[in-house]
Amino acid sequence: MTLHAPEDRVFLFLQGPHGPFFNRLGAMLRRAGTTVWRVGFNAGDRAFWFHRSSYIPFTGTTAEWPSTFSQLLNDKGVTDVVLYGDVRPIHAQAVAEAKRRGITVHVFEEGYMRPYWVTYERGGSNGHSRLMDMSVTQMQEALALSDMEAPLPPSTWGDMRQHIFYGALYHWFVMFRNGSYRNFQPHRALSVSREFQLYLKRLFLMPIQTMDRVQATLRIRYGGFPYHLALLQLEHDSSFQEHSPFKTMQEFLDLVIRGFAEGALAHHHLVIKAHPLEDGRAPIRKTIRTLARELGLQGRIHYVRGGKLAQLLNDARSAVTVNSTAAQQVLWRGIPLKVFGKAVFAKPEFVSDQPLPAFFTGASRPDNRAYRDYRRYLLETSQIAGGFYSARGRRQLLRQVVDMMLSPDDPYDALASGTAAPRQQLRLVT
């Protein structure tokens, strides 16, 4: 891998994942010889950036942000913009301006193969990813230049507790230390105080919710009935809001449950699995109960709050989702899948195009060989072993990603041109 002359690179960081990952990433880029700046939009951003001389507080209004960002690019001579998620308004505006100027945009996201990998792309992620316009055939042609075996995931879960902890801590700073950022507007509909309350609720209720989840899972595993899975995601998640036809989770649940009632055999059941970070802001359980009563499905619909997906997938007949990355685990097992939103894995080789009732009656299976090539392609390009939230996960991620950011080629071009660096074999992330 040939690296770009670090002394000529000026990185401008915007908002990142909760916790210290962006600070650690910026520190390593400085050690590599680059110049690093960070724009902070609230006290939570400031609290996790420890290099004070490079911190730039933005205290203006949202209307003032585009002109402020443009001036920063000029004043600092920015060559690279770094951000987490590309659809929140301040980031979408920044990405558009950076692209207009030919500035490289480094986008981090939760892994398409989460929880053991994170996503690093250039220009956009999810529905804006280059993967959206890339065929499986093109991926297979690029893989011909590599003889590496795709790494297997570890057997132990990643960093969910740390994720919840840093989220609660971040929102505490925004609630109680945000006096200098009076114009700050969160990119989500809920107030910061309500976000903080929900994070605390998640932390305190984890033992009770764990018991509820275990009981529900046991009823399903020992129920002796065939079942289909509906994989939910967070209603406020950017992938759901920006890259799907739905605005609320109730809309998706209504479609899925009615499709199940119309098409599934009478002895089949539907298991609805919540996202591991589901915090109760969407009335999921109430919606399920109402629809079950209306459609005469009492006893055939089961709700599971979070937890590991593998146990439920082992016996599932099929799965439906909007565009959750959990679908990657479905495809890895060769289980039929139907999606409703834009997703990097929504390739015709993998995803059913059957109407929903027909899908529940008898779903077509994915092309497992094509999916394995797709999966290997991602793991050799944009999926990096590690995590944002645990110390061990951050260390593992930083060993790889800084060199990738300094490379003149983005991960996809690097593999196609034969300049990609050797990838790490995945180790345990706890």
Side-chain angles (χ1 to χ4, degrees):
M1 179 192 296
T2 303
L3 304 183
H4 241 6
E7 63 274 9
D8 297 332
R9 306 284 290 275
V10 179
F11 287 81
L12 180 65
F13 281 61
L14 302 184
Q15 289 194 297
H18 299 150
F21 171 68
F22 260 21
N23 179 74
R24 291 285 309 277
L25 178 60
M28 189 168 287
L29 284 167
R30 282 193 296 272
R31 287 196 294 271
T34 73
T35 300
V36 177
W37 298 96
R38 169 71 190 270
V39 179
F41 298 84
N42 57 53
D45 293 338
R46 181 183 60 195
F48 289 111
W49 189 262
F50 307 137
H51 193 264
R52 296 306 184 200
S53 62
S54 64
Y55 181 78
I56 304 169
F58 175 72
T59 58
T61 64
T62 54
E64 296 170 330
W65 167 241
S67 61
T68 300
F69 177 72
S70 181
Q71 191 61 46
L72 279 173
L73 297 181
N74 294 333
D75 293 346
K76 303 301 183 184
V78 173
T79 61
D80 300 76
V81 173
V82 186
L83 47 85
Y84 171 76
D86 63 349
V87 296
R88 62 184 68 178
I90 57 173
H91 285 175
Q93 293 165 345
V95 169
E97 178 63 16
K99 286 184 175 181
R100 188 183 70 81
R101 296 181 180 220
I103 292 172
T104 302
V105 179
H106 305 266
V107 182
F108 286 89
E109 254 294 1
E110 302 295 336
Y112 297 145
M113 302 288 185
R114 71 183 68 170
Y116 311 115
W117 293 274
V118 305
T119 298
Y120 165 69
E121 296 179 282
R122 295 189 186 177
S125 64
N126 292 312
H128 299 143
S129 169
R130 287 182 60 188
L131 292 168
M132 296 298 299
D133 299 320
M134 202 178 298
S135 69
V136 174
T137 299
Q138 290 173 309
M139 298 177 189
Q140 291 167 333
E141 291 171 352
L143 286 171
L145 299 170
S146 172
D147 60 359
M148 294 183 63
E149 292 292 329
L152 294 173
S155 59
T156 302
W157 191 255
D159 48 13
M160 185 59 66
R161 290 183 181 87
Q162 293 94 328
H163 191 163
I164 295 172
F165 169 77
Y166 281 125
L169 185 59
Y170 179 91
H171 285 91
W172 183 90
F173 278 108
V174 177
M175 280 185 61
F176 299 110
R177 294 291 186 268
N178 219 44
S180 300
Y181 302 87
R182 298 189 183 279
N183 291 314
F184 171 67
Q185 295 291 327
H187 64 282
R188 291 172 178 163
L190 287 187
S191 66
V192 174
S193 61
R194 181 57 179 154
E195 289 270 5
F196 177 67
Q197 292 169 6
L198 289 172
Y199 271 105
L200 284 183
K201 180 181 177 182
R202 282 278 304 159
L203 285 171
F204 289 131
L205 293 181
M206 282 184 77
I208 297 174
Q209 292 175 352
T210 298
M211 292 178 60
D212 177 73
R213 180 173 65 247
V214 169
Q215 291 174 355
T217 302
L218 289 175
R219 284 195 294 269
I220 296 163
R221 291 181 64 189
Y222 294 104
F225 45 76
Y227 61 85
H228 308 264
L229 270 175
L231 304 177
L232 305 187
Q233 51 211 101
L234 299 177
E235 186 176 282
H236 57 275
D237 180 74
S238 60
S239 291
F240 183 86
Q241 288 296 325
E242 301 294 332
H243 303 303
S244 87
F246 309 105
K247 287 302 179 184
T248 67
M249 194 55 64
Q250 291 103 304
E251 294 175 10
F252 174 64
L253 286 168
D254 185 84
L255 177 68
V256 170
I257 294 175
R258 291 184 188 280
F260 175 79
E262 182 179 346
L265 298 176
H267 64 291
H268 284 208
H269 289 225
L270 178 64
V271 175
I272 299 173
K273 184 187 179 299
H275 187 280
L277 289 173
E278 177 58 51
D279 54 21
R281 71 183 69 187
I284 295 174
R285 195 183 291 272
K286 179 181 178 181
T287 301
I288 293 171
R289 287 173 176 168
T290 300
L291 286 168
R293 285 196 300 268
E294 176 187 340
L295 299 171
L297 297 174
Q298 296 97 325
R300 292 177 60 197
I301 301 183
H302 310 264
Y303 178 55
V304 181
R305 297 193 58 158
K308 294 184 181 181
L309 179 59
Q311 293 179 340
L312 294 174
L313 279 176
N314 289 337
D315 296 311
R317 302 295 298 271
S318 70
V320 297
T321 186
V322 178
N323 52 13
S324 171
T325 56
Q328 300 275 8
Q329 296 185 51
V330 176
L331 294 171
W332 173 248
R333 289 167 171 79
I335 298 171
L337 174 69
K338 186 169 182 62
V339 301
F340 294 89
K342 294 171 63 178
V344 297
F345 54 81
K347 306 297 183 185
E349 293 89 345
F350 317 144
V351 176
S352 173
D353 61 357
Q354 298 167 276
L356 190 56
F359 178 81
F360 281 123
T361 301
S364 56
R365 297 179 63 86
D367 182 338
N368 196 248
R369 290 183 178 179
Y371 176 72
R372 288 175 183 270
D373 287 337
Y374 166 88
R375 183 179 184 275
R376 181 182 158 209
Y377 180 80
L378 262 61
L379 292 176
E380 292 200 33
T381 53
S382 60
Q383 303 305 289
I384 311 172
F388 296 127
Y389 306 105
S390 71
R392 203 168 162 187
R394 289 191 297 272
R395 289 195 299 268
Q396 189 170 15
L397 177 54
L398 288 167
R399 289 187 181 102
Q400 190 81 16
V401 75
V402 174
D403 286 355
M404 295 175 68
M405 295 175 72
L406 294 175
S407 169
D409 297 323
D410 85 353
Y412 305 120
D413 290 335
L415 182 63
S417 63
T419 62
R423 304 308 294 269
Q424 289 176 309
Q425 290 299 307
L426 190 66
R427 297 175 184 173
L428 182 65
V429 178
T430 58

